[in-house]
Amino acid sequence: MQENYIDYMIAKADKFHLEKKHQECIAALKTAEENAWEYGPKFEKITEKIEEYVIYVPWKIPDFDWELNTNNPALNIYTDHEINDTSGIQYEHSIFASCNYSSGIASLETVLDRKFTKMTGVIAPGSSDYKNFTSYEEERRNVGVIAEVHIQREKNGPFEVIYTSPAMKPDSKPEPFELDVTDVYAIRLAYPNTEADGTNYNATFFDVCFVNEDKDESVQTAVTTETQSAASEN
């Protein structure tokens, strides 16, 4: 019965994949993973299928294991702490590294393993839930914070900067970005000038998304539509 369930769910996922219903495919495998983790060797087949098919869908902030690198052990990763920016725009996910009481250089890293070709997102000041600033805190909040994106092409290799945001303050406008991450092993979200106490949310990363444009059917469809539209205009 247990093996039949796993085989059934894998067959269901395979069918979704052939029909290019990639979100449904991954959802079926995730359901099987949640319900069948104790089934021994058969469970490994589910894990292998997820690895095979997962690049056909966009990956977002919660899909990764983020590691904090900092010279200050008091700093933390804040995921989905800020959902709205100061202009009132609401996002699906967010991430930044900061500490409310002390300074320190911080960065967040995760492994892409060369699975993706494009990274998109928005840098914007988070609408902090700290309501009662002292004059000191208000002054510190108005210090501009820069966010950077670094890439590592080889495991244990050096990181290089591929994006630097403007200095972000509470009244800064959202800064969308789109980056080429083809053949990138690991990505780093960095705050190189964290001098102000707890102000990295001024440069919160919102709705970071990674896609493989060669695999993601929705990306291919959008590109094809844009190409056809441009051709018809000419």
Side-chain angles (χ1 to χ4, degrees):
M1 180 66 70
Q2 295 173 348
E3 293 188 357
N4 287 343
Y5 169 75
I6 293 176
D7 290 338
Y8 167 76
M9 293 301 288
I10 289 176
K12 186 176 181 180
D14 288 340
K15 182 174 184 295
F16 280 137
H17 177 71
L18 291 173
E19 294 172 348
K20 301 187 184 302
K21 297 179 179 179
H22 301 305
Q23 297 285 358
E24 291 88 342
C25 170
I26 295 300
L29 291 171
K30 288 290 187 180
T31 298
E33 185 179 43
E34 292 173 2
N35 295 333
W37 63 269
E38 75 276 24
Y39 291 176
K42 278 281 187 175
F43 177 72
E44 295 178 3
K45 292 176 63 176
I46 299 174
T47 304
E48 291 170 0
K49 280 292 181 179
I50 291 175
E51 285 291 317
E52 178 183 351
Y53 289 150
V54 76
I55 60 172
Y56 287 84
V57 298
W59 279 40
K60 302 179 181 181
I61 290 170
D63 298 321
F64 294 93
D65 294 323
W66 296 92
E67 179 181 349
L68 177 66
N69 289 303
T70 177
N71 61 353
N72 184 340
L75 275 85
N76 296 294
I77 298 175
Y78 291 86
T79 303
D80 293 346
H81 179 76
E82 306 279 354
I83 296 298
N84 299 300
D85 67 23
T86 51
S87 66
I89 299 175
Q90 185 171 1
Y91 301 87
E92 185 178 2
H93 297 293
S94 70
I95 191 167
F96 69 98
S98 193
C99 178
N100 298 338
Y101 306 107
S102 57
S103 302
I105 306 305
S107 66
L108 306 166
E109 295 179 14
T110 193
V111 174
L112 302 184
D113 202 21
R114 303 180 181 87
K115 292 179 179 178
F116 307 98
T117 61
K118 184 170 72 172
M119 173 187 181
T120 58
V122 176
I123 304 288
S127 180
S128 176
D129 59 0
Y130 304 112
K131 302 300 183 182
N132 299 311
F133 287 118
T134 65
S135 59
Y136 171 78
E137 289 169 334
E138 189 66 37
E139 179 182 353
R140 301 301 274 177
R141 170 88 200 227
N142 284 312
V143 173
V145 176
I146 293 173
E148 294 180 342
V149 178
H150 305 176
I151 59 172
Q152 183 186 47
R153 298 192 181 276
E154 300 292 337
K155 186 177 182 179
N156 300 322
F159 279 87
E160 59 184 277
V161 181
I162 61 169
Y163 172 80
T164 301
S165 77
M168 303 298 290
K169 299 181 179 182
D171 58 352
S172 296
K173 294 181 179 180
E175 292 283 338
F177 63 86
E178 180 176 314
L179 305 171
D180 183 355
V181 292
T182 304
D183 294 328
V184 168
Y185 174 76
I187 200 90
R188 174 187 287 168
L189 312 181
Y191 295 95
N193 68 335
T194 309
E195 301 297 335
D197 293 354
T199 58
N200 280 352
Y201 50 79
N202 277 352
T204 297
F205 285 84
F206 288 103
D207 287 358
V208 173
C209 182
F210 296 87
V211 297
N212 186 318
E213 295 175 291
D214 298 325
K215 301 291 185 181
D216 191 315
E217 191 69 20
S218 63
V219 173
Q220 293 179 22
T221 301
V223 171
T224 301
T225 302
E226 290 176 3
T227 302
Q228 292 173 344
S229 176
S232 63
E233 291 176 0
N234 296 331

